[in-house]
Amino acid sequence: MTAGHIFKTAHEARDLIRNGDVSSVELTQSLIDRIDQVEGDLNSYITVTGEQALERAAAADAGIASGDLDGPLAGVPVMVKDNMATAGTLTTAGSQILKNFVPPYNAHVVEKLNDAGAVILGKGNLDEFAMGSSNENSSYPPTRNPWDTSRVPGGSSGGPAAAVSAGEAFISLGSDTGGSIRQPASLCGVVGLKPTYGLVSRFGLLAFASSLDQIGPFSRDVTDSANTLTVIAGHDQRDSTSSPRSGGVDYAAGLNGDISGMKLGVPKEYLVDGIEPGVRAAYEESLKVLEGLGATLEETSLPLTDQALSVYYIIAPSEASANLARYDGFKYGHSSETAQDAWEVMDMTRGEGFGAEVKRRIILGGYSLSAGYYDAYYKKAQQVRTLIRQEFAGAFEKFDALVTPTSPTVAFESGSRTDDLLAMYLSDICTIPVNIAGLPGMSLPGGFSEGLPVGLQIIAPHFGEQSMLNVAYAYEQATEWHKAHPTI
Amino acid sequence: MRYVARLTHLSLTDEEVESLRSQLSTALDFFQTLQQVDTTGVEPTGSPTDVSSVMREDVATPSLTRAETLANAPHTEDDYVRVLPVLDT
């Protein structure tokens, strides 16, 4: 009976609960059944916490009945990516080095979800330590794309994207370091939002690249994205980069769908070599939709876009090599049993526990930071980072937002890029510059090519989430793409 | 490659060293494009926002208990993490 609700939006689900049409327990059970039905094909979850979810759903039902609990996520079943700490629940970051790690505390965003009465169903699959664009670097069976299970869901937040796409969660949280929310959102046909750096606390997020990482929501429509952002945004003393400007905004209340007179920039460098004709056609069609809504579109140029990939693949591995130094085999996680002394414990624990991509990035980062190479690589990348920020700042003097494709391609076949590093890295070419500049960006369903979803990316100035969401909302009101679901 | 592996405390097999050496070389070639950008006098960006050196009031707050802190340690003894010898004996 409640199985008919699995593809509702979170706000529709919330209304059903609030009106007494269905209880949170019933809804949670129907999603647990759905997870049982499709997980054999999808692997969206690393851990499902069904019993705990049903208990929390019962508590949510009681809270809603007594009037103590309200708000957009009250009683709504959700998923969080498995690189966010959940007290008492296994948190692996997709890695064998944390295969037995049970955090003693909750990430800030998990506290926020719990306080809002959301029901966490489990932990989402990801590329190991969020390093990857296809989910094929997970040390667990990789997530597959619900639209075509021979294809990847994107990454690194492939599990959270696939779960929302396939009706295994109404909302999920992912993290985005170079596109890890927006690219899988594009490939799975859902809405994915990466906030301004500093808007959402990173406390309890297992760090990959600290100056780039941000947490954000996946959802089936823009209203849910706005509602979830309202729940998770806010200043947090436990993250020293958390912005005092963050919080206190109801993003859904600000959605009016009126973008007439807005100036939108169309950066020509994002129509990269290798963009698929179907993706390009969908994108150009989307630009017409926005123009039809009264926005003024104008081509612009961001010449440093070409350099963003190099900047990213120096800065992110450098920060990763420092962040991942903590996995030493002493305090938590895997510990080598064959080592003969403490130094060997470190070397062998890491050699045994990390997968190929993580080792690759640690080596790349270690090299970039090492004496003699620091100026040529790390410092140079940080200087070009400054120029990329300035280039965006210049564009935002003229434009309210930028509109680009999210990914140059639709979901690609599993295994097709694992041997070609640069081809894999190129999947994030349209999303990486946004992290380098710390800007907010989101991907929303923007058409289909060969039966697979195509994403439309909107990029806004720092703390411009409200106007970014409003552009997305206006587009969504004028299109039907977000209403399509995979048949799995 | 062995030197960087030592710096980053990674034990690698001979096959891994070989494959990482060629991948590192591919990446470094790719990064050469950065040299085309004139960065004379440009300040490096460490963090993309303007928040820096945030201080809080120096007030003690409750932290994790010793048991919680040690619960994930592979080897413990009494209230300590136990490790193999660090120094040669």
Side-chain angles (χ1 to χ4, degrees):
Chain A
M1 176 178 63
T2 52
H5 298 320
I6 60 170
F7 284 117
K8 296 254 190 269
T9 63
H11 58 90
E12 287 166 351
R14 182 268 325 263
D15 289 345
L16 289 169
I17 299 171
R18 194 187 275 167
N19 298 338
D21 296 329
V22 63
S23 69
S24 174
V25 168
E26 289 169 320
L27 208 53
T28 300
Q29 186 60 55
S30 68
L31 262 69
I32 293 170
D33 295 343
R34 173 66 174 170
I35 291 167
D36 284 343
Q37 181 200 345
V38 296
E39 267 302 277
D41 293 323
L42 293 182
N43 302 318
S44 305
Y45 283 81
I46 289 177
T47 303
V48 178
T49 50
E51 258 176 57
Q52 203 181 317
L54 287 168
E55 283 169 23
R56 288 195 49 84
D61 281 330
I64 292 162
S66 69
D68 293 338
L69 183 63
D70 198 14
L73 299 184
V76 175
V78 304
M79 168 216 255
V80 297
K81 189 178 181 181
D82 205 21
N83 61 350
M84 300 173 201
T86 41
T89 298
L90 190 66
T91 299
T92 68
S95 181
Q96 290 303 305
I97 212 162
L98 288 175
K99 65 184 177 199
N100 56 2
F101 177 60
V102 179
Y105 62 92
N106 280 322
H108 179 81
V109 290
V110 172
E111 289 174 353
K112 290 279 194 180
L113 288 178
N114 286 340
D115 291 349
V119 175
I120 297 176
L121 290 163
K123 307 296 294 288
N125 204 350
L126 68 159
D127 288 293
E128 184 177 1
F129 284 103
M131 298 178 188
S133 310
S134 68
N135 226 271
E136 292 166 297
N137 297 331
S138 174
S139 75
Y140 296 83
T143 306
R144 298 198 176 85
N145 194 306
W147 293 88
D148 176 350
T149 54
S150 72
R151 293 172 188 266
V152 304
S156 67
S157 310
V164 169
S165 168
E168 295 182 283
F170 289 99
I171 297 281
S172 61
L173 294 186
S175 61
D176 189 316
T177 305
S180 280
I181 292 173
R182 289 159 289 152
Q183 185 256 18
S186 174
L187 270 48
C188 290
V190 296
V191 179
L193 187 152
K194 174 226 169 287
T196 303
Y197 183 81
L199 190 83
V200 177
S201 169
R202 293 178 294 110
F203 177 78
L205 173 68
L206 278 58
F208 161 16
S210 302
S211 80
L212 302 162
D213 298 341
Q214 264 295 289
I215 294 170
F218 289 94
S219 60
R220 296 200 187 104
D221 75 1
V222 174
T223 302
D224 281 353
S225 189
N227 276 329
T228 310
L229 190 64
T230 301
V231 167
I232 62 174
H235 181 60
D236 177 22
Q237 283 200 339
R238 298 168 298 182
D239 171 1
S240 65
T241 61
S242 168
S243 171
R245 289 176 62 178
S246 175
V249 178
D250 182 344
Y251 292 101
L255 299 177
N256 60 24
D258 179 10
I259 59 166
S260 58
M262 274 186 89
K263 289 189 180 137
L264 303 178
V266 180
K268 61 181 183 190
E269 288 80 5
Y270 284 68
L271 289 172
V272 293
D273 292 343
I275 189 169
E276 291 174 348
V279 171
R280 185 178 184 135
Y283 171 63
E284 284 167 353
E285 200 55 43
S286 293
L287 297 182
K288 285 184 199 149
V289 170
L290 291 166
E291 214 154 29
L293 290 165
T296 308
L297 274 71
E298 190 184 315
E299 186 179 272
T300 186
S301 176
L302 299 166
L304 287 171
T305 303
D306 281 351
Q307 301 291 345
L309 210 57
S310 289
V311 170
Y312 179 80
Y313 278 101
I314 292 171
I315 289 178
S318 296
E319 294 185 9
S321 71
N323 274 325
L324 271 57
R326 74 192 64 184
Y327 302 105
D328 53 18
F330 299 138
K331 305 181 294 288
Y332 38 71
H334 172 67
S335 183
S336 175
E337 294 299 332
T338 50
Q340 299 299 312
D341 64 32
W343 296 107
E344 263 190 30
V345 170
M346 281 188 244
D347 295 358
M348 294 177 67
T349 293
R350 294 161 63 78
E352 293 162 7
F354 290 137
E357 181 67 20
V358 174
K359 287 178 182 170
R360 190 148 51 222
R361 298 208 196 182
I362 288 174
I363 290 288
L364 195 52
Y367 182 87
S368 303
L369 293 173
S370 63
Y373 299 101
Y374 181 91
D375 281 359
Y377 293 104
Y378 187 65
K379 189 179 170 201
K380 182 78 180 179
Q382 285 192 309
Q383 288 175 311
V384 178
R385 185 177 191 181
T386 303
L387 297 175
I388 291 173
R389 285 177 65 193
Q390 290 170 352
E391 192 166 272
F392 274 115
F396 287 125
E397 281 173 18
K398 193 167 173 192
F399 300 108
D400 298 306
L402 303 172
V403 191
T404 79
T406 308
S407 164
T409 71
V410 294
F412 44 92
E413 292 281 344
S414 301
S416 64
R417 296 192 184 181
T418 40
D419 293 329
D420 186 348
L421 218 55
L422 289 177
M424 185 69 91
Y425 290 178
L426 277 168
S427 356
D428 294 329
I429 185 75
C430 299
T431 50
I432 276 176
V434 174
N435 300 73
I436 289 173
L439 300 167
M442 68 187 291
S443 180
L444 68 158
F448 285 85
S449 170
E450 298 165 33
L452 295 164
V454 173
L456 176 68
Q457 180 173 240
I458 302 162
I459 306 168
H462 289 128
F463 300 102
E465 275 82 359
Q466 186 69 74
S467 64
M468 176 175 81
L469 281 159
N470 206 35
V471 173
Y473 185 69
Y475 178 87
E476 187 181 81
Q477 299 298 105
T479 55
E480 299 280 318
W481 311 122
H482 63 289
K483 293 181 180 165
H485 305 300
T487 51
I488 187 168
Chain B
M1 178 56 61
R2 294 274 182 203
Y3 170 67
V4 181
R6 196 163 72 243
L7 286 178
T8 54
H9 282 286
L10 270 182
S11 71
L12 299 172
T13 63
D14 292 343
E15 294 78 43
E16 284 178 319
V17 169
E18 277 320 301
S19 108
L20 283 166
R21 178 178 288 136
S22 88
Q23 289 164 1
L24 180 63
S25 150
T26 305
L28 296 178
D29 285 347
F30 182 71
F31 297 158
Q32 286 310 312
T33 59
L34 284 180
Q35 301 308 325
Q36 299 161 3
V37 185
D38 181 5
T39 51
T40 315
V42 176
E43 284 296 312
T45 290
S47 173
T49 51
D50 301 326
V51 180
S52 63
S53 297
V54 179
M55 308 291 268
R56 63 163 173 80
E57 293 301 309
D58 187 13
V59 180
T61 52
S63 61
L64 297 174
T65 65
R66 195 168 286 150
E68 286 170 331
T69 307
L70 292 174
N72 279 291
H75 303 287
T76 58
E77 195 171 309
D78 300 328
D79 286 337
Y80 297 94
V81 170
R82 199 167 72 78
V83 300
L84 290 172
V86 178
L87 300 170
D88 290 333
T89 48

